[in-house]
Amino acid sequence: AAEATPAPKPPITPALRPNFTPEEAPTVVGGAVEISPPSVLIVEPSGFQQGMIVKQLGEIGHKEIFKARSLANALEAYFDSNPKIVVTSFVLPDGSGLQLFERIINESQSSPPAFVLITSEADRDSLQSQAGSGITILAKPFTKTALAEAIETACHNRPTSDANSTILDSNSSGQHPAANWAHARILVVDDSAFARKRMGAVFKG
């Protein structure tokens, strides 16, 4: 009699921790479970410098990398992809890395990302005093080891914010009565279509 075909064994799935987030989805390599590093948004106006940083990120294990060259592009890329780490140059064509950090903190409804600000050695001390908590300064030129250490520091120094707060709350005061927005006519002026949509949603809410 022909031998019976053995029943296929069910695949072995590693047990996942309850606090695993999507970017930490485990991959099995040679029987060992490895945790993929979180996604990164790199904001650098120079194509050459951006390529070098992307290469360094790849060498230290980051696979999901998003790229932008300006503050406006960075905001759109951030809200489209929601990366867990932002690595940005201080000088951008339409603003600065500090302004990008403030916009993300004020406009994001999710947990703020780990934030690394790349600057020159000469500006490092002055920027560190301006940046305050939540930002890790990385002076250039830097090695991939220094980049990895800065990212690790930024992840431990991740800023916190109230997800319900918006940039419109900064001038609000408990002494003023609540305005009746039901019949308000509001003109939203911004050069970014995405920002106009976000502000419109805030007013409608």
Side-chain angles (χ1 to χ4, degrees), residues 39-54 57 64-79 81 83 85-101 103-104 113-119 138 140 142 147 151:
S39 54
V40 182
L41 169 62
I42 170 67
V43 188
E44 169 58 56
S46 166
F48 176 77
Q49 292 291 337
Q50 187 182 89
M52 292 292 293
I53 298 172
V54 169
L57 289 170
E64 193 173 11
I65 303 172
F66 306 95
K67 297 177 285 185
R69 293 192 179 185
S70 67
L71 189 152
N73 292 147
L75 285 172
E76 294 183 5
Y78 176 80
F79 288 109
S81 56
I85 301 169
V86 174
V87 179
T88 179
S89 174
F90 171 66
V91 179
L92 302 174
D94 51 351
S96 71
L98 288 179
Q99 290 174 320
L100 174 61
F101 175 75
R103 291 283 298 271
I104 289 176
F115 207 89
V116 176
L117 183 65
I118 299 174
T119 184
L138 176 61
K140 56 185 179 182
F142 52 84
L147 177 60
I151 289 176

Side-chain angles (χ1 to χ4, degrees), residues 14 16 20 24-28 33-36:
L16 303 184
F20 262 153
E24 295 176 330
T27 55
V28 180
V33 177
E34 293 187 354
I35 306 302
S36 299

Side-chain angles (χ1 to χ4, degrees), residues 110-142:
S110 58
S111 299
F115 207 89
V116 176
L117 183 65
I118 299 174
T119 184
S120 63
E121 187 68 45
D123 297 332
R124 178 174 185 168
D125 294 337
S126 61
L127 277 178
Q128 187 67 69
S129 61
Q130 295 179 45
S133 61
I135 297 179
T136 300
I137 305 295
L138 176 61
K140 56 185 179 182
F142 52 84

